């Protein structure tokens, strides 16, 4: 394990500062995850990914790069991983879920923007994230103003390719997104020197659909009362989906689901309140809300977030004999995601109501990262729709700090008593 | 409560032991290595004290390289 230091040095990391991060993780993970009782045995693989997140996985990336491969970093469910795979590159979702990086982020960004954007910027400029240091390029998108402007700053440190995501869902917007995907294909071809072919793109689509199927299978199992897996563990699976090798992830998640299927046969109702979390994404290692809620008499059974249903719902069709047709299929699937960046975004309201029923939810927690305006504003519409359906709702607006943990706990406790 | 850990010189030895523990139906948990035991991050394996002798035996017979077995009170 000692040889990681040499690797991190070669990656030009700030070893001393990074060491502070490494110091915190085992304890945090131990306290939140390893104290859970009766965890599925298949979670060991996900423990492994976390334990080796700055070690073994980075070694794999470095090995791949030595063989001439390319690594690109992404931040959003709109970036089409299919294209990355089709050019034989490795795509990694970058960590941006820790308070640790905020201080460095605030050195060059305003304080009043969302913690996720401040964290990823801090992780790069503070030289404390080996993924950033391994990336040949970052793929950004225009899903929010903070990110849109942060890419310009990021581009001074590492090459950035920005995809312009349309903000409406008319036919012309879907066509615009098709065009963005084609531009992205060209950029990835230039970066890797590998041409996208019908076969390579279909293979990329198959792998991404495989990931979606595996996650969907796990979520379907959570519909059981009680859920055979904690919300904390399910969140970890979703987070790992962004960073680990996709084929290994599919294999291990299917193994987990096999085990969960067996568990479902034995489980008896436990009286815990069933909670849906909806709102902004929870990037690794943001486990804050889940650990508060599941520390009380409740289980989180579904996340309508980018680290939840938005990531895996709907597959990309592989029907078609030309690249253009496949690009169209991808554009249709991605433009079907109900992110709050769209106007209007009625689909999200419908999704939430549908999931309340499908997952037999007792109450909904609206999770909003501080200063994420689109989601904060959309709250009103969601609140109105849920009130009409008589579904209890609690809004939690927070960042990554621990300062408000006690307060959130009190509010969630009161909410659970009420429902 | 005391917790018991096995530490490894690299992750592949950890994964090698994991496979063997699984084959022998011995319960274990993969965990990030506690800071008290090592300053370098990476995996360790937590085990139950009652299985210690059997595990030592498996490690010897299969030449798994380990840094040692440790207990934290």
């Amino acid at each position: 394990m000692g040889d990681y230091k040499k690797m991190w040095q070669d990656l030009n990391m700030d070893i001393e500062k990074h060491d502070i991060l490494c110091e915190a993780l085992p304890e945090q993970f131990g306290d939140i995850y390893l104290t859970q009782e009766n965890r599925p045995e298949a979670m060991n693989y996900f423990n492994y990914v976390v334990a080796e997140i700055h070690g073994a996985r980075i070694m794999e990336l470095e090995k791949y790069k030595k063989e001439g491969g390319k690594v690109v970093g992404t931040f959003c469910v709109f970036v089409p991983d299919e294209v990355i795979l089709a050019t034989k590159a490795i795509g990694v979702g970058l960590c941006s879920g820790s308070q640790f990086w905020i201080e460095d982020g605030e050195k060059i960004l305003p304080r009043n923007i969302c913690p996720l954007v401040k964290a990823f910027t801090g992780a790069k400029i503070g030289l404390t994230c080996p993924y950033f240091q391994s990336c040949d390029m970052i793929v950004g998108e225009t899903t929010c103003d903070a990110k849109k402007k942060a890419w310009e700053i990021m581009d001074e440190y590492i090459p950035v390719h920005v995809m312009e995501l349309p903000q409406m869902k008319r036919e012309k917007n879907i066509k615009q997104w098709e065009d963005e995907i084609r531009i992205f294909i060209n950029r990835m071809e230039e970066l890797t020197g590998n041409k996208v072919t019908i076969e390579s793109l279909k293979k990329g689509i198959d792998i991404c659909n495989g990931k979606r199927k595996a996650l969907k299978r796990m979520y379907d199992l959570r519909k059981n009362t009680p859920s055979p897996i904690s919300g904390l563990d399910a969140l970890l699976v979703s987070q790992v989906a962004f960073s680990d090798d996709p084929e290994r992830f599919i294999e291990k998640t299917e193994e987990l689901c096999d085990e969960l299927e067996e568990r479902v046969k034995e489980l008896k109702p436990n009286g815990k309140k069933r909670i849906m979390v909806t709102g902004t994404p929870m990037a690794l290692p943001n486990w804050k809300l889940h650990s508060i809620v599941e520390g009380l008499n409740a289980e989180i059974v579904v996340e309508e977030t980018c680290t939840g249903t938005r990531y895996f719902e709907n597959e990309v069709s592989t029907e078609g004999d030309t690249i253009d047709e496949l690009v169209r299929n991808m554009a249709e699937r991605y433009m079907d995601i109900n992110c709050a960046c769209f106007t209007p975004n009625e689909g999200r309201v419908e999704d939430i109501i549908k999931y309340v029923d499908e997952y037999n939810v007792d109450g909904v927690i609206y999770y909003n990262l501080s200063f994420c305006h689109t989601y904060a504003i959309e709250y009103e519409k969601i609140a109105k729709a849920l009130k009409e359906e008589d579904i209890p709702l609690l809004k939690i607006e927070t960042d990554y700090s621990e300062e408000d943990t006690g307060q959130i706990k009190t509010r969630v406790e009161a909410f659970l008593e009420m429902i | 409560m005391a917790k018991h850990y096995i530490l490894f010189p690299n992750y592949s030895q950890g994964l090698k032991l994991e496979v063997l523990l699984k084959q022998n139906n011995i319960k274990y948990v993969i965990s990030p290595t506690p800071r008290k035991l090592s300053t370098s991050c990476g995996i360790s394996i937590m085990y139950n004290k009652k299985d210690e002798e059997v595990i030592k035996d498996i490690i010897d017979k299969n030449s798994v390289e380990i840094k040692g077995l440790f207990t934290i009170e």
Side-chain angles (χ1 to χ4, degrees), chain A residues 54-102:
Chain A
H54 284 188
R57 181 64 177 142
I58 300 295
M59 271 173 82
E60 286 179 357
L61 301 184
E62 288 309 296
K63 183 167 174 276
Y64 194 65
K65 283 170 67 181
K66 282 203 181 90
E67 292 160 0
K70 298 288 178 190
V71 176
V72 296
T74 64
F75 286 97
C76 180
V77 296
F78 282 97
V79 175
D81 286 334
E82 292 88 347
V83 173
I84 298 172
L85 292 167
T87 53
K88 300 189 182 71
I90 295 179
V92 282
L94 297 173
C95 313
S96 46
S98 169
Q99 180 69 15
F100 176 78
W101 293 303
I102 301 286

Side-chain angles (χ1 to χ4, degrees), chain A residues 359-375:
Chain A
Y359 290 84
N360 193 19
V361 163
D362 296 308
V364 177
I365 295 181
Y366 199 103
Y367 173 78
N368 211 123
L369 281 172
S370 318
F371 309 113
C372 179
H373 300 315
T374 49
Y375 279 91

Side-chain angles (χ1 to χ4, degrees), chain A residues 278-295:
Chain A
T278 179
T280 48
M282 294 167 176
L284 259 177
N286 178 8
W287 305 306
K288 183 175 168 179
L289 182 71
H290 280 54
S291 68
I292 293 172
V293 173
E294 297 202 328

Side-chain angles (χ1 to χ4, degrees), chain A residues 283-411:
Chain A
L284 259 177
N286 178 8
W287 305 306
K288 183 175 168 179
L289 182 71
H290 280 54
S291 68
I292 293 172
V293 173
E294 297 202 328
L296 300 165
N297 192 29
E299 56 185 7
I300 292 171
V301 293
V302 55
E303 295 84 11
E304 191 278 322
T305 65
C306 298
T307 38
T309 54
R310 271 178 238 139
Y311 185 49
F312 66 78
E313 288 281 25
N314 303 320
E315 290 174 22
V316 173
S317 164
T318 47
E319 294 290 312
D321 304 310
T322 63
I323 300 223
D324 277 344
E325 283 173 275
L326 296 180
V327 166
R328 173 73 198 184
N329 297 347
M330 284 159 58
E332 281 176 354
R333 188 262 160 193
Y334 282 96
M335 289 291 283
D336 213 15
I337 299 171
N338 296 315
C339 173
C341 67
F342 289 107
T343 183
N345 191 30
E346 293 302 325
R348 181 162 168 238
V349 180
E350 290 160 21
D351 284 347
I352 293 171
I353 304 275
K354 183 179 79 177
Y355 294 145
V356 166
D357 187 45
E358 278 183 16
Y359 290 84
N360 193 19
V361 163
D362 296 308
V364 177
I365 295 181
Y366 199 103
Y367 173 78
N368 211 123
L369 281 172
S370 318
F371 309 113
C372 179
H373 300 315
T374 49
Y375 279 91
I377 296 168
E378 203 160 274
Y379 172 78
E380 287 304 321
K381 286 221 162 196
I382 306 285
K384 196 168 159 231
L386 290 184
K387 196 169 184 196
E388 275 167 20
E389 302 280 330
D390 216 12
I391 300 158
L393 172 67
L394 173 70
K395 186 183 184 189
I396 300 283
E397 187 160 331
T398 187
D399 57 16
Y400 301 153
S401 73
E402 293 296 320
E403 286 164 16
D404 56 357
T405 303
Q407 189 200 26
I408 294 173
K409 189 175 170 231
T410 309
R411 291 186 60 210

Side-chain angles (χ1 to χ4, degrees), chain A residues 185-233:
Chain A
I185 288 177
N186 289 340
R187 180 80 191 252
M188 285 303 299
E189 286 178 338
E190 273 169 31
L191 179 77
T192 59
N194 298 322
K195 207 88 186 122
V196 170
T197 63
I198 276 277
E199 291 72 33
S200 72
L201 196 50
K202 278 197 177 179
K203 191 173 174 228
I205 293 172
D206 279 337
I207 293 172
C208 291
N209 282 342
K211 262 171 95 168
R212 293 178 185 122
K213 281 191 191 107
L215 285 163
K216 173 86 177 141
R217 188 178 164 208
M218 179 181 77
Y219 270 65
D220 281 341
L221 283 156
R222 296 171 80 188
K223 291 175 182 168
N224 188 71
T225 304
S227 167
I229 181 168
S230 67
L232 268 167
D233 281 339

Side-chain angles (χ1 to χ4, degrees), chain A residues 146-281:
Chain A
K147 275 179 166 181
K148 194 164 78 187
K149 297 306 286 181
W151 305 133
E152 295 171 27
I153 294 171
M154 194 65 83
D155 196 41
E156 293 169 20
Y157 297 84
I158 184 169
V160 178
H161 174 79
V162 181
M163 297 182 77
E164 186 188 357
L165 182 73
Q167 318 264 285
M168 292 177 82
K169 292 187 174 182
R170 299 162 299 182
E171 174 57 28
K172 74 170 199 172
N173 303 115
I174 300 174
K175 285 211 170 84
Q176 280 174 324
W177 189 239
E178 276 181 62
D179 205 33
E180 282 298 319
I181 295 174
R182 274 190 285 266
I183 294 168
F184 183 48
I185 288 177
N186 289 340
R187 180 80 191 252
M188 285 303 299
E189 286 178 338
E190 273 169 31
L191 179 77
T192 59
N194 298 322
K195 207 88 186 122
V196 170
T197 63
I198 276 277
E199 291 72 33
S200 72
L201 196 50
K202 278 197 177 179
K203 191 173 174 228
I205 293 172
D206 279 337
I207 293 172
C208 291
N209 282 342
K211 262 171 95 168
R212 293 178 185 122
K213 281 191 191 107
L215 285 163
K216 173 86 177 141
R217 188 178 164 208
M218 179 181 77
Y219 270 65
D220 281 341
L221 283 156
R222 296 171 80 188
K223 291 175 182 168
N224 188 71
T225 304
S227 167
I229 181 168
S230 67
L232 268 167
D233 281 339
L235 174 65
L236 185 63
V237 173
S238 296
Q239 290 171 332
V240 165
F242 287 83
S243 68
D244 201 39
D245 173 74
E247 289 175 279
R248 181 170 53 202
F249 173 82
I250 294 166
E251 186 193 324
K252 295 295 179 180
T253 304
E254 295 287 357
E255 271 177 31
L256 170 68
C257 290
D258 291 342
E259 188 183 339
L260 298 182
E261 241 161 41
E262 288 305 309
R263 283 185 162 225
V264 162
K265 294 175 192 164
E266 314 272 311
L267 289 171
K268 305 263 180 309
N270 57 13
K272 284 187 179 176
K273 295 284 190 326
R274 296 172 63 83
I275 301 297
M276 179 200 307
V277 170
T278 179
T280 48

